[in-house]
């Protein structure tokens, strides 16, 4: 089990940070499209903080992507 921290970027008053203490599923990869609380996000960065036993996943709301999906 891993501690997973989801961080929405860019950091705005509406953005969120969510921590899942005992995450047992596959870790999202950079570039993947994920759903969280019924909203769609693109994974922009994955940081492995081994000393803390934490994986930080940076998400960008899908509606902030350009017309080409990037």
């Amino acid at each position: 089990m891993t501690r997973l921290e989801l961080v929405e970027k860019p950091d705005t008053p509406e953005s969120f940070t969510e921590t899942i203490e005992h995450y047992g599923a596959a870790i999202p990869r950079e570039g993947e499209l994920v759903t969280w609380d019924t909203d769609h996000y693109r994974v922009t960065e994955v940081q492995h903080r081994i000393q803390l036993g934490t994986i930080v996943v940076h998400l960008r709301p899908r509606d902030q992507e350009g017309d080409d999906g990037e």
Side-chain angles (χ1 to χ4, degrees), residues 6-7 10 17 26 34 38 42 44 46-47 49 55 57-59 66:
L6 302 172
V7 180
T17 298
V34 298
T38 69
R42 178 77 59 191
T44 58
V46 178
Q47 298 174 335
R49 296 183 179 165
I55 297 175
V57 178
H58 293 262
L59 304 172

Side-chain angles (χ1 to χ4, degrees), residues 20-43:
I20 303 168
E21 289 296 334
H22 302 287
Y23 186 78
I27 303 300
R29 294 185 201 171
E30 192 171 316
E32 285 185 337
L33 186 62
V34 298
T35 302
W36 183 255
D37 287 341
T38 69
D39 293 320
H40 300 285
Y41 298 91
R42 178 77 59 191
V43 176

Side-chain angles (χ1 to χ4, degrees), residues 4-17:
L4 187 75
E5 187 174 318
L6 302 172
V7 180
E8 183 180 353
K9 297 288 183 179
D11 192 14
T12 66
E14 299 83 27
S15 64
F16 70 89
T17 298

